[in-house]
Structures are given as structure tokens and as C-alpha cells.
Amino acid sequence: MTSDPLAPLDLAFWNIESPEHPMHLGALGVFAAHSPTAGAHAADLLAARAAAVPGLRMRIRDAWEPHLLLRPSTFGGAAREPYPGFDPLDHVVLHAPADDFQAAAGRLMQCPLDRERPPWEAHVLPGEDGVSFAVLFKFHHALADGLRALTLAAAVLDPMDAPAARPRHAEEPTGGGLLPDVRRLPGLVRGALSDVGRALDIGASLAVSGLAVRSSPALTAEPSGTRRTAGAVVDLDDVHRIRKSAGGTVNDVLIAVVAGALRRWLDKRGDSSEGVAPRALIPVSRRRPRTAHPQGNRLSGYLIRLPVGDPDPLGRLDTVRTAMDRNKDAGSHRGAGAVALLADHVPALGHRLAGPFAGQAARLWFDILVTSVPLPGIPLRLGGHELTAVHPYAPLAQGQSLAVAVSTYRGKVHYGLVADAKAVPDLENLAEALSAEVETLLAACP
């Protein structure tokens, strides 16, 4: 196993991290237990299987050697390399029985990963009821995006039938030299001009998106470094009924549910929702089967205003649908949500030096993250124990107090909420509002 340079966006995630803003993804899986010892057995299985997964043995090492043979992408940057002292027991932790999986997950999510070792952890939480246990997976965003994290987690679960990965063509270029092939110069010039135009489009859209529209202080409070998590589960059939009646896509409905839940939550806590329209970043995967960095982050995004201030539930859905259609027509490579693409054009040294400042700029870009993590449609198991629920968690950027992630699994939609615990002490109320908003949309549909 050889070292592998970090893709530009991976490098950005690695360098914007701070102790108060750890940049790891999470997923809390709840399993049905066949016996009180199921959690301990699951921890043993995870440790044994992790040792055989190459991606889990990779650490991230800064690469600062100013050697001419280094590729430009590695100079001043970082690379993944095998960790010779890898011990899965350092990464799989069996905890005491818990009566509240979400409360335990919140405390664990606020702890940064060890940057000197492979940046991932699995925390096994036996249930006090004896009939369930949970596993909290944590992966640094520089190690994996949502799709890659799913692949790594699936590798330590029970084997399942899955379609084979598309093989990489032998003739695909892998990059490398300091000088480009002269035969590609015209294309490079066109590409450079296109990149400049795209950057200008993104900058202009970002400036427009920042025009004053009221958000909520609850979403942009000063960070405390603490974390709280919560989850909600809704019926996918209900979401489909809303979609068929009111139009749009499943994703449109799920985003509109977030907007309506925020309205309920703000009004309940005494913060007026009138006129509130926070900027929501909706990540979009640009991963391709034959990408040069199959394990790297390949993300763009859409930026929309959540119509929290609109009292009409179907009106909120229509606004979300219109905004998402507009973003799709423009493409994920332009617009304010595509700022992540600019990371490809920043030298590695620039990521290292500007990382702390770039992290602080997130509050100028968006107010809340709403992301979707796909899961396979077949049942997942660990040691024969079936996965009954899974709540994904996104990292909190500087200046954000709340992030929302959503996964669809086995006919249910699972929302995962992560918040700054001091700024949002009533996160459970927002989770309840998500389920209530689905009922409101159902009642409003003709």
C-alpha cells in the first residue's frame, strides 16, 4: 500500500479543522440485540474486520519535503499513507451500557479524532434495555465523504451482496509530471478560461446570496465547541404521497420538511420566524466511477433560501422545488453553492496557510447545512443483528450552530441533527418538529 496525495478538497477539510470545530462525519446505527452480550460481540467483530480494510489503516501525514520530484499536488500538502502501528483496538471502543444513544453520541461527536493515527473511530454503545445496541462511526472528512464513509462502514458490517465496482480503464491518465503534455495545451487554455469564468460566476452568486435576508441567531450563534445530537424517523411512504400530490422530488419534500420544522421550532422557543430565510447549503456529489481520486471528496453544492417565514406548508414546498430546479438547470459547477470547487485551484501550501481563515468564512457563505447520505436498500447487519435505524451526522462549520443530514433506509427516512449544545439546548424539539411537519404537509395535500 503506497501513499496517496490528498485531493484539494480533502486538504481543505484537513486544514480548516480546529479543536472547537472537528471536521468528522458521523453515523449512529441502532441494532436489534439478540442477547445482552451482543454489543461486546459487535465490538470484537468490528476490531477484527477493521484490520483487514486497507482504507482504515491509512493516516494523513503532512508532506513538506521541498523535493523537485514531488508532484505539485503534494508539495506543502498532505498525503494518506499506511500507518505501520495500526491497532484496531485503538479505534473500536466498547462503552458502558447507555439508556440514551443520542445523548452519548452528542458527547462523542464533540471530541476531535486523533490526527496522528488513522482518523476514524467506532464507538459501541450497549443498550441498558438489553434488546438493542448502537454503533457510532466517526470518519474525518479528509478521509472520506458520505459515500466513501458508507463504503468503509459497510466493509466491517456483515457481508452483503453488492454490485461490483466499475473497473478503472488501464489507459486512464493518472497525472504526474511537472510539465503538461504539449498536445493538451489548447484544451488546457480553454479549461483555464472556463475555470476563470466559473470562479467569477461563483463569486458573483455568492455576493448576491449574502444580501440581507433575516436568519435566526439560533443558527449562527458563537461556537462553544460542545455538541448535541438528535434524530427523527418518518415514513418514506408519507413522503412519496406528498411528492405525488404536491409535485417535486423526494429531496425537495425532505428539504421543505426542514424549513417547516425550523419554523415550528423557532416559534415554540420564542424566536419569531417571520421573514426568516436562512441560506442552506445542499451538497452535491460529483463522484465518478473512474475519478483520479476515488477515495477523495468530490463535492459541489446548491445554495437555497429556506422559506422558514412562509406560513403556508405547500408554499414552502413550492419555493424549495423552484429553487432546486433553478440550481439544477444552472448546474452544480456554478452558483454560490459551488464554492467547494474553487479548492481545486488553490495550491496545497495555500490550503495550509489559509485554512483557519477559510473556516471562519463559512458563516459568510451559508447558515445551515442540509445533506443527504444514500444507504443501500437491503438490510444491513452486524454479527447477525439487524440495523433498525441509522442517523447520519454532518460536521459543524465555524459560524454554524446546526447541521441536518438525512438517509433513507428500509422504507424510513432518518434525520440526523448535530448542533452546538449551548446554542441549541432544545434540539429534541426540532427533531419532534420534523415529524410534525410531515403530518402537516400530508394534511395540506389535496
Side-chain angles (χ1 to χ4, degrees), residues 79-106:
R80 297 179 189 85
E81 66 173 17
Y83 184 52
F86 177 70
D87 185 347
L89 295 179
D90 292 333
H91 299 265
V92 179
V93 182
L94 176 64
H95 293 262
D99 62 348
D100 187 337
F101 294 144
Q102 290 288 353

Side-chain angles (χ1 to χ4, degrees), residues 74-222:
T74 66
F75 178 74
R80 297 179 189 85
E81 66 173 17
Y83 184 52
F86 177 70
D87 185 347
L89 295 179
D90 292 333
H91 299 265
V92 179
V93 182
L94 176 64
H95 293 262
D99 62 348
D100 187 337
F101 294 144
Q102 290 288 353
R107 292 189 293 270
L108 293 168
M109 282 295 290
Q110 72 187 34
C111 301
L113 294 166
D114 187 341
R115 291 169 67 94
E116 299 300 319
R117 300 189 304 191
W120 69 274
E121 292 173 351
H123 297 269
V124 181
L125 306 167
E128 285 190 346
D129 56 12
V131 298
S132 65
F133 68 90
V135 179
L136 174 68
F137 288 101
K138 294 167 58 178
F139 296 98
H140 199 286
H141 218 328
L143 177 70
D145 58 11
L147 291 174
R148 175 65 175 169
L150 172 62
T151 301
L152 293 173
V156 294
L157 297 179
D158 292 355
M160 60 180 181
D161 294 330
R166 182 177 176 180
R168 177 172 167 171
H169 287 267
E171 68 271 16
E172 183 178 357
T174 58
L178 290 176
L179 296 177
D181 187 331
V182 293
R183 293 170 296 180
R184 297 179 59 210
L185 282 176
L188 289 172
V189 172
R190 289 194 298 272
L193 292 175
S194 175
D195 289 343
V196 171
R198 179 171 63 188
L200 291 174
D201 282 351
I202 292 172
S205 298
L206 188 61
V208 171
S209 73
L211 295 177
V213 175
R214 183 169 176 259
S215 184
S216 168
L219 302 179
T220 55
E222 287 301 315

